[in-house]
Amino acid sequence: MKHQDLTSKMTLEEKAAILSGKTVWQTMEIPRLQIPAIFCSDGPHGLRRQAGEGDHLGLNASLPATCFPTAATIANSWNTELGEKLGSALGEEAAAQKVDVLLGPGLNIKRSPLCGRNFEYFSEDPYLAGKMAASYVRGIQSQGVYACPKHFAVNSQELRRMAMDSVLDERTLREIYLTGFEIAIKEGKAKAIMSSYNEVNGTYANENPHLLLDILRKEWGFEGIVVTDWGASNDHAKGVACRSNLEMPAPGLDSARELLEAVESKKLSMDELDQCVDDLLEAILELSVQKRGAEFDQKKHHEIAREAAEESIVLLKNEKQVLPLKAGTKVALIGDFAFEPRYQGAGSSMVNPTRLETMENEIMHYDLQLAGKCRGYRRTGENDTALEQEALHVASQSDVILYCFGLDELSESEGLDRAHMKIPQNQIDLLEKLFQCGKPVIGILSAGSATEMTWEKNLTAIVHGYLGGQASASAMLNVLTGRVNPSGHLNETYPLDYEDTPAYHYFPSEERTAQYREGIYVGYRYYDTAKKPVRYPFGYGLSYTTFAFSDLKEEENGISVKVTNTGDTDGAAVVQMYVSLPKARVFRPEKELKGFTKVFLKVGESRTVSIAFDDKTFRYWNNKTGGWEIEEGEYLVAVGENCEAIHETMTVHRAGSTVEIPDVYQKEMLPSYYNADIQNVTDSEFAKLLGHEIPSGKWSGSLNKNDAICQLYYAKSPIARLIYRILTSMKNKSEAKGKPDLNILFIYNMPFRGIAKMTAGAVSRDMVDGMVTAVNGHFFRGLGQIIKGYFVNAKANKAYEKKLEQTGAEK
């Protein structure tokens, strides 16, 4: 241990107390030993440091900060240098606002397009996600601030996220859901990581020894701190035993007493407690000597936000080269998003921007004639004939129609998964009427994740800005007018229909269990292998110029390829390297992304770029031997502009390390996985893949502390069912307004145990037990437990506080 001299001076009560937060955002300080508190803040794409009393979901205002594009947007840049630059700006703002740990970036895999938080995650591909996350981490930590990648791990849905078990096989866990985190830890050197709400194969992530000890600490060599997601602690003692160092937000001293009881009963050893305290002290002492409070350059950071948005915009369609717009083009600006932009998602990541651009205002600074501007539709989805007629009139006065549309706030939010992949129908109805005007319609799309695009035939061009942050309007206009040549490429696949997605039958979950039956076939890995047509493939993106690839060669430890700008505009190419093993014995996807680089080329310029092989290029996880291995064979290395547009291929031989193929990995035993026919995997086949029986996720007849409050609808207590109806009504009313009440959603999906972890010590574990007793039909007995628990908890809290004060006075 690094700080044994300090831990030896701490009392047992101080050790137990310091491992939980004091407030929503601050850790506990120990004044007598001059151990200060450190401050955490949300910040995947911009800082959300609240000025007054903190709350997890952002009801109280936060200090102004630069709202950069979301992770899903920046991943479209395929530029790790840009990620590092953005991360450095985030770290600089964190330091300026006296924040020590920035809670981000978000690193979960986009298993399904319907996850409500996909806007906060990089990609469906773990390699791209990991490389981009590592770049953010390097940038943030260059400013003396800890980055905290989240949510570790297999956190792919918002529905009942605190009361849900992710069930998957070890190979899928390793190859898909952990690889991004591995890259962020090993290459980014992240000094903190956030554990997720859910269970992973029956054990909560924050107390999962396989995740936190076997993999994170031992295999990856992580020496930083593990921070729980806010309210994610289930059994605090088990978490500490797994070196989870900081339980947040502010569970109160009942959590500290839980550790004291665990030490006394030998459930938790003193060595385990001391190790956890030592890890946290290392972070506190390192962070407390960093300079904090300096001003940051708001103008410069706004320009970085614009640069990031520009490089991440994806040109999906450009018929007749309608773009870029010629100087003096007479345009109609139509769409509610032109006036009130969708530039970030909703939830704990919501930023109070230092400045916010709109298309309505920014278009005045460009050499375009504005025929008119109007909202055209209601973003909340209601039909409005008057707005439609105004839009059609404005369109009739123009030569080109700029139509700003996309997903509204209700579609993409923490705490709420999407119900479908569609754009609100009233926006599409207006689009179809604009198309009938017979003029080019340029669709300017705003959304944080994939949508169905049956309407694309009504658009001459489609420019996808994702959620581009506070400078997204000028970034978009720079692309539309040709000041910037678009170079973004999709970080995810756009399927033809939601029914085509690999997890269609398995997402989000059946009662408490989310079964990852699709296995390793996530995103393009499925579409490619199953030969399923898509709207836009993974890695897709157009440019105002063209590129040629040639002279693919194998180097000592990688490949090189010549890229030439063959068009008439300077621009940047994204070179993507995919690897496959055509005659593999172990089933695997058709191809997998294993390297990429972005190169800017002037007209006619050629450049030879190199992409290195690394430890992830040829590996697969062998469930039988419990390790990473290479299967011997002739690997196909393919280079292109997206996973379907492959321009150059070559084969490279690799000697194998595999001696034992897993017994179950035979075509006759796992036909669905060898054929990538994984939308209807049977129970018996999934059980074979898991290597054990499928755990039941059925809710029992009685609720327990780990069941979610939304399950009160079948509680035995009529009062509990009434509470459920009231809460559901409040939830539905907030959603009907178009902007969900995030605190209601949080409560709706929270398990009973979370009440004890999210109320700053006002509610104890014993009181939660009383609540569970009450909702299970024993109302008065439960009420008695709650009342008794209240007084016992209050008395115990005072006694603990007094002991801490006396210790301080004595020393």
Side-chain angles (χ1 to χ4, degrees):
M1 292 196 299
K2 297 180 180 179
H3 302 285
Q4 193 166 1
D5 58 330
L6 192 53
T7 56
S8 65
K9 297 174 184 176
M10 296 176 71
T11 66
L12 183 57
E13 287 78 11
E14 287 171 334
K15 291 176 182 179
I18 202 173
L19 296 179
S20 293
K22 180 181 179 181
T23 69
V24 172
W25 302 113
Q26 277 183 297
T27 65
M28 188 80 68
E29 72 274 8
I30 309 292
R32 75 175 186 90
L33 295 174
Q34 298 182 318
I35 300 173
I38 56 174
F39 199 97
C40 305
S41 177
D42 282 313
H45 61 269
L47 211 64
R48 193 178 71 86
R49 193 201 196 285
Q50 290 173 293
E53 185 176 351
D55 68 280
H56 174 43
L57 292 173
L59 290 183
N60 294 331
S62 58
L63 297 172
T66 308
C67 183
F68 296 99
T70 67
T73 312
I74 298 298
N76 292 333
S77 75
W78 294 62
N79 187 341
T80 56
E81 291 181 4
L82 176 66
E84 193 161 339
K85 184 176 183 179
L86 191 151
S88 180
L90 284 168
E92 187 180 343
E93 294 195 20
Q97 295 192 14
K98 300 181 180 179
V99 168
D100 299 294
V101 181
L102 193 148
L103 304 174
L107 193 48
N108 296 108
I109 293 298
K110 298 183 183 185
R111 177 194 179 205
S112 167
L114 297 191
C115 175
R117 215 166 174 178
N118 274 350
F119 65 86
E120 209 170 316
Y121 303 143
F122 288 107
S123 179
E124 68 186 30
D125 181 81
Y127 191 86
L128 175 60
K131 290 291 185 177
M132 293 305 301
S135 71
Y136 270 52
V137 170
R138 287 192 294 269
I140 292 166
Q141 295 187 166
S142 72
Q143 303 301 310
V145 173
Y146 276 18
C148 186
K150 59 185 185 183
H151 310 84
F152 189 67
V154 205
N155 181 204
S156 306
Q157 70 180 59
E158 291 299 287
L159 179 67
R160 293 187 296 274
R161 58 184 177 167
M162 297 173 75
M164 183 272 297
D165 182 16
S166 298
V167 177
L168 72 170
D169 68 289
E170 185 73 9
R171 183 182 175 198
T172 298
L173 173 69
R174 298 285 192 145
E175 294 188 15
I176 303 298
Y177 296 97
L178 296 188
T179 291
F181 286 100
E182 180 186 359
I183 294 171
I185 296 297
K186 289 183 175 180
E187 298 180 20
K189 308 296 183 185
K191 295 184 177 182
I193 195 166
M194 181 186 288
S195 59
S196 59
Y197 286 124
N198 52 287
E199 292 175 291
V200 179
N201 289 325
T203 304
Y204 280 99
N206 188 62
E207 58 197 52
N208 193 312
H210 186 51
L211 281 180
L212 298 187
L213 294 178
D214 297 343
I215 298 173
L216 180 65
R217 298 288 188 181
K218 296 175 185 176
E219 290 186 26
W220 298 352
F222 178 72
E223 290 296 329
I225 57 171
V226 175
V227 182
T228 72
D229 202 344
W230 268 226
S233 177
N234 172 54
D235 185 314
H236 189 29
K238 288 183 178 178
V240 170
C242 289
R243 284 180 74 180
S244 176
N245 309 95
L246 183 57
E247 182 189 47
M248 293 297 286
L253 292 171
D254 186 45
S255 272
R257 296 197 300 273
E258 184 180 352
L259 295 185
L260 298 184
E261 293 164 9
V263 170
E264 185 177 352
S265 67
K266 308 298 184 185
K267 177 182 176 182
L268 180 69
S269 72
M270 278 303 302
D271 286 344
E272 290 169 330
L273 179 63
D274 284 346
Q275 179 66 69
C276 230
V277 171
D278 192 71
D279 295 334
L280 185 58
L281 288 176
E282 172 71 8
I284 291 171
L285 297 177
E286 179 181 354
L287 290 166
S288 63
V289 298
Q290 300 294 326
K291 292 182 179 180
R292 299 282 187 260
E295 294 278 326
F296 69 90
D297 188 332
Q298 291 191 9
K299 182 179 178 182
K300 178 183 176 183
H301 284 202
H302 186 78
E303 291 169 355
I304 293 173
R306 179 186 296 118
E307 177 191 350
E310 288 170 349
E311 220 178 304
S312 304
I313 289 170
V314 184
L315 180 62
L316 294 175
K317 184 178 181 179
N318 193 19
E319 288 184 350
K320 301 176 182 177
Q321 282 69 55
V322 66
L323 292 176
L325 295 172
K326 294 179 174 59
T329 300
K330 193 175 184 181
V331 300
L333 183 63
I334 298 172
D336 195 62
F337 290 177
F339 299 81
E340 295 181 43
R342 276 290 328 279
Y343 63 99
Q344 64 175 327
S348 60
S349 65
M350 189 171 285
V351 179
N352 178 16
T354 57
R355 172 185 167 191
L356 180 59
E357 298 178 354
T358 68
M359 292 280 284
E360 174 195 21
N361 294 329
E362 293 299 318
I363 199 168
M364 305 302 178
H365 305 306
Y366 292 80
D367 190 3
L368 297 171
Q369 292 186 57
L370 187 60
K373 55 186 179 181
C374 63
R375 293 181 182 263
Y377 58 81
R378 292 186 182 274
R379 73 198 296 133
T380 46
E382 303 92 341
N383 291 321
D384 191 316
T385 303
L387 286 178
E388 277 195 357
Q389 291 303 313
E390 182 186 9
L392 293 173
H393 173 72
V394 169
S396 69
Q397 308 300 307
S398 69
D399 296 326
V400 174
I401 301 165
L402 302 180
Y403 184 50
C404 302
F405 71 122
L407 294 180
D408 59 13
E409 286 79 1
L410 185 61
S411 299
E412 299 181 288
S413 171
E414 179 179 357
L416 185 71
D417 291 315
R418 294 162 64 189
H420 52 72
M421 287 181 64
K422 301 180 187 302
I423 299 289
Q425 189 57 44
N426 64 332
Q427 297 183 37
I428 303 308
D429 291 342
L430 176 58
L431 171 59
E432 292 173 349
K433 291 173 183 176
L434 292 172
F435 175 70
Q436 296 300 322
C437 294
K439 299 177 181 182
V441 184
I442 297 170
I444 300 167
L445 185 59
S446 298
S449 55
T451 66
E452 292 178 358
M453 291 185 170
T454 54
W455 36 260
E456 72 160 357
K457 61 183 179 293
N458 296 312
L459 290 164
T460 313
I462 304 173
V463 192
H464 199 341
Y466 268 65
L467 302 180
Q470 66 181 54
S472 56
S474 59
M476 179 59 69
L477 284 161
N478 285 343
V479 167
L480 293 174
T481 57
R483 294 185 188 180
V484 170
N485 188 350
S487 62
H489 287 245
L490 293 176
N491 68 74
E492 59 193 326
T493 306
Y494 277 57
L496 294 175
D497 301 289
Y498 174 56
E499 290 77 5
D500 292 339
T501 60
Y504 172 65
H505 292 296
Y506 318 130
F507 183 91
S509 64
E510 181 181 341
E511 299 185 356
R512 289 200 78 251
T513 301
Q515 297 180 7
Y516 286 59
R517 295 196 183 205
E518 71 278 5
I520 61 173
Y521 294 107
V522 176
Y524 73 91
R525 285 169 166 78
Y526 166 65
Y527 302 111
D528 239 19
T529 312
K531 311 302 183 198
K532 178 77 71 173
V534 300
R535 183 77 59 186
Y536 293 112
F538 173 78
Y540 178 89
L542 300 176
S543 170
Y544 295 151
T545 191
T546 55
F547 301 97
F549 294 70
S550 60
D551 298 334
L552 177 63
K553 297 176 182 177
E554 183 178 5
E555 296 186 328
E556 183 177 354
N557 192 35
I559 57 101
S560 65
V561 64
K562 186 165 80 172
V563 187
T564 304
N565 184 338
T566 56
D568 56 8
T569 306
D570 298 346
V574 174
V575 186
Q576 302 167 34
M577 180 182 78
Y578 296 89
V579 174
S580 60
L581 182 58
K583 296 181 179 180
R585 294 168 63 195
V586 175
F587 71 84
R588 61 175 65 208
E590 177 78 12
K591 65 174 77 77
E592 296 177 279
L593 181 72
K594 296 297 182 179
F596 61 90
T597 190
K598 194 169 192 176
V599 55
F600 179 84
L601 299 169
K602 292 185 175 297
V603 174
E605 183 182 4
S606 295
R607 192 178 305 174
T608 297
V609 298
S610 297
I611 300 176
F613 298 149
D614 61 22
D615 62 329
K616 298 165 190 68
T617 305
F618 303 103
R619 74 180 189 179
Y620 77 97
W621 182 263
N622 188 321
N623 283 354
K624 186 169 186 177
T625 60
W628 292 107
E629 297 195 8
I630 295 175
E631 184 177 342
E632 183 171 5
E634 299 294 321
Y635 286 81
L636 183 68
V637 178
V639 174
E641 294 180 87
N642 62 66
C643 73
E644 290 187 0
I646 299 300
H647 298 296
E648 292 278 294
T649 62
M650 65 182 297
T651 58
V652 297
H653 180 81
R654 279 297 177 272
S657 60
T658 298
V659 176
E660 298 179 274
I661 295 287
D663 297 334
V664 73
Y665 282 12
Q666 300 175 31
K667 289 184 180 180
E668 59 272 20
M669 296 184 72
L670 296 177
S672 298
Y673 296 97
Y674 275 92
N675 298 323
D677 182 19
I678 46 79
Q679 280 199 325
N680 294 287
V681 175
T682 64
D683 288 354
S684 62
E685 194 171 355
F686 186 48
K688 289 174 185 173
L689 184 73
L690 291 174
H692 54 76
E693 290 300 313
I694 303 169
S696 173
K698 299 295 182 182
W699 293 326
S700 64
S702 296
L703 294 168
N704 63 57
K705 67 177 183 179
N706 285 323
D707 286 322
I709 291 171
C710 63
Q711 294 167 229
L712 284 175
Y713 72 87
Y714 72 98
K716 294 177 181 177
S717 166
I719 295 176
R721 293 196 297 273
L722 175 62
I723 293 171
Y724 166 77
R725 288 195 293 271
I726 293 171
L727 190 61
T728 301
S729 176
M730 294 169 66
K731 170 180 170 290
N732 292 341
K733 285 179 181 178
S734 75
E735 291 176 9
K737 294 177 182 178
K739 293 187 178 181
D741 187 314
L742 299 174
N743 276 341
I744 290 176
L745 286 173
F746 189 82
I747 294 168
Y748 193 77
N749 288 302
M750 182 172 67
F752 291 97
R753 65 177 164 81
I755 301 172
K757 299 297 184 182
M758 298 289 290
T759 49
V763 177
S764 67
R765 291 164 291 150
D766 290 341
M767 293 168 70
V768 168
D769 290 339
M771 294 175 191
V772 173
T773 299
V775 301
N776 280 323
H778 306 287
F779 180 77
F780 291 106
R781 189 201 308 169
L783 182 60
Q785 286 179 260
I786 295 169
I787 294 171
K788 180 182 177 182
Y790 172 81
F791 289 106
V792 170
N793 183 53
K795 184 178 179 180
N797 285 343
K798 286 182 181 178
Y800 205 122
E801 289 168 359
K802 188 174 181 179
K803 194 159 190 177
L804 289 175
E805 289 170 2
Q806 287 175 342
T807 302
E810 290 169 3
K811 300 293 181 178

